[in-house]
Amino acid sequence: MIKAAFFDIDGTLVSLKKKVCPPSTAPALQALRGNGVRCFVATGRSKFEIKTEHLLDGLEFDGVLTNNGQDAYDADGNLLYGKPLDAQEAAAVLDWVEQTGCACWMVSAEKSILNFCNDRVYEAMEAIHTRPPERGNLRSMLQKPIYKIVLFLKREEMAPVMTLCPTSRTTQWYPLGHDIISGDGGKRNAMLEILRRYGIRPDETIAFGDSENDIEMLRAAGIGVAMGNGTPECIAAADFVTDDCDEDGLRKALEHFALIG
């Protein structure tokens, strides 16, 4: 019996083409919660980014895992889980960024700052229909715990910087968008912690996603659902592949597993 559901945002809840949820999503989620299933967001975005971009307006959830699972909050905004980067490793990454002139976006619990924009930043942010973050001095960010560092690099370009942060790891959300997160964080670990708090087993869980940063979550859930618009790697990791986000894939999967009428 499914007791909890976890949903990625971009390409899963929200269309990458239209930047809004398909009309079928809100009633499907309402029906799911009405059937006693706890619903959680599991996203690479930050809590304040979700609010600023109005990504989930009109939808109700029991909690949200943000920054690829580095922090998690209940429905009232109370912190349930936090896995910031090692402070020395975050500082080492920033040293490397300043030496190489790389575009970098740092995220704490309170704010996010980007050092500068270039073509890669514009391309990656356009892909998720999001305005580039506020520009500023990244050094000021190190005064608070850092939950995520985003580098606008290709996969092979990430290797040198990752040698500077041995307890951290990276996950990709766009070919030119990589997040550096703590090694013991991530969507899977955050999901498992939330389930533990609510006394729910992983095999009583369904999870939805479309990208590399969703794979470990899909594999850990009792049922892992990949959207039809997902990456080949995400689709290969799933137990079930539904239609595209824009083709009501979320609703159709919930109906397929008889979780809604």
Side-chain angles (χ1 to χ4, degrees):
M1 178 178 179
I2 296 298
K3 297 181 180 179
F6 291 77
F7 301 92
D8 173 51
I9 292 182
D10 297 294
T12 301
L13 287 172
V14 176
S15 167
L16 288 173
K17 299 176 183 177
K18 302 176 182 178
K19 198 190 171 182
V20 295
C21 296
S24 64
T25 298
L29 292 174
Q30 184 178 10
L32 186 62
R33 295 183 78 222
N35 288 338
V37 178
R38 293 184 181 272
C39 294
F40 301 90
V41 174
T43 180
R45 293 181 180 266
S46 63
K47 183 174 66 170
F48 42 83
E49 188 182 358
I50 294 171
K51 182 178 180 180
T52 300
E53 296 295 325
H54 303 285
L55 294 169
L56 302 178
D57 287 1
L59 303 181
E60 293 186 11
F61 293 92
D62 296 282
V64 54
L65 320 181
T66 61
N67 293 316
N68 276 320
Q70 299 311 100
D71 49 339
Y73 305 85
D74 64 17
D76 296 320
N78 300 308
L79 182 68
L80 297 177
Y81 173 95
K83 288 288 182 180
L85 289 162
D86 178 87
Q88 291 184 336
E89 293 185 11
V93 172
L94 181 53
D95 289 342
W96 184 87
V97 163
E98 292 175 343
Q99 292 167 10
T100 60
C102 173
C104 176
W105 173 16
M106 279 189 167
V107 182
S108 71
E110 294 84 15
K111 62 180 179 179
S112 69
I113 289 181
L114 175 71
N115 55 355
F116 65 86
C117 279
N118 59 17
D119 289 345
R120 290 186 173 193
V121 175
Y122 287 122
E123 178 182 336
M125 301 308 287
E126 174 62 26
I128 58 172
H129 303 286
T130 299
R131 292 164 292 181
E134 173 188 350
R135 263 74 88 196
N137 180 6
L138 294 180
R139 284 283 161 190
S140 65
M141 295 289 288
L142 297 181
Q143 299 174 13
K144 298 285 186 178
I146 301 298
Y147 283 109
K148 179 178 68 177
I149 298 176
V150 183
L151 297 180
F152 297 88
L153 299 174
K154 299 176 182 178
R155 187 188 299 273
E156 60 271 20
E157 294 171 336
M158 290 293 296
V161 68
M162 293 311 297
T163 64
L164 304 174
C165 39
T167 71
S168 303
R169 60 192 177 99
T170 182
T171 184
Q172 178 182 320
W173 51 271
Y174 185 71
L176 292 173
H178 287 81
D179 293 351
I180 298 176
I181 60 177
S182 62
D184 56 354
K187 290 187 180 184
R188 172 188 178 274
N189 291 338
M191 180 184 78
L192 294 178
E193 174 63 18
I194 296 303
L195 293 177
R196 185 190 67 79
R197 285 175 174 266
Y198 286 100
I200 300 172
R201 300 193 311 270
D203 62 358
E204 298 174 320
T205 302
I206 187 170
F208 291 75
D210 73 302
S211 193
E212 178 187 286
N213 60 1
D214 299 310
I215 289 175
E216 60 177 19
M217 177 178 71
L218 300 190
R219 287 175 172 163
I223 301 172
V225 179
M227 307 303 291
N229 49 273
T231 65
E233 295 81 6
C234 183
I235 288 174
D239 301 301
F240 179 77
V241 181
T242 187
D243 280 346
D244 289 12
C245 174
D246 292 285
E247 299 298 326
D248 302 320
L250 189 148
R251 175 183 60 80
K252 290 176 181 177
L254 292 175
E255 290 177 342
H256 172 82
F257 290 104
L259 296 174
I260 62 174

